[in-house]
Amino acid sequence: MELLTDRSKIVSNKKLSFLEKLYLPAIFEGMWITLGHLFRRKVTIRYPEKKKEFSEIYRGQHILKRDEEGRERCTACGLCAVACPAEAITMTAAERKAGEETLYREEKYAVVYEIDMLRCIFCGLCEEACPKEAIFLTKRIVSPELTRERFVYGKDLLLEPSDRLRRIDISGRQTKEVIGFKKDKKFKHNQ
Ligand code: SF4
Ligand code: SF4
């Protein structure tokens, strides 16, 4: 059989020597390595007493934003799903009905909006693609789960609370240039 890499090893069943049977050299070698690590800079921290500092540009769990009046901003245009390289986003669009103007900002909205957090690579392309400033990544960490299904986040986990005091601040995600671009009326999608 032709080998694809040169990483394969021939395994032999050679008999152990007397010294090897004592295992002492191997134990001392292991202890020597452990001793060496005692004096090196630690790469771990004492969580949860100590929290790791995140980079300014850290991208974590997404948020679906509401506008100033508490209406959902997402119009289910699907641009985020198209831009997503991991194909992690799926949605189902619905028409806004009369009387629902206080719930949804646009005439079309996402009745179902899901992100598979196990597929997501937190690249932020969905955020960049969104013309409605509806989706942003935040500094929040996706919680560990025991089943794969629970990593599929729906609107119940993604949509920010309508209570103004509990809204998620995403101002750190927008640079001055991006804010300026989004306000530029000569681009139709910014109007
Ligand atoms: S952050 Fe990237 S991978 Fe994750 S949902 Fe958005 S576009 Fe897809
Ligand atoms: S989050 Fe933005 S890009 Fe994605 S469907 Fe909603 S409006 Fe469109």
Side-chain angles (χ1 to χ4, degrees), residues 64 74-80 91 113 129-132 134-135:
L64 281 176
C74 177
T75 185
C77 65
L79 283 176
C80 50
M91 73 192 70
Y113 190 104
C130 182
K132 299 292 175 187
I135 187 163

Side-chain angles (χ1 to χ4, degrees), residues 62 80 83-86 88-89 115 119-126 137:
H62 314 61
C80 50
C84 178
I89 303 177
I115 301 180
R119 297 192 76 141
C120 177
I121 54 170
F122 301 94
C123 61
L125 287 180
C126 49
L137 280 83

Side-chain angles (χ1 to χ4, degrees), residues 38-50:
L38 278 182
F39 302 103
R40 287 202 196 146
R41 193 171 70 87
K42 289 187 177 49
V43 290
T44 52
I45 56 166
R46 287 182 173 272
Y47 184 85
E49 291 86 18
K50 223 172 149 192

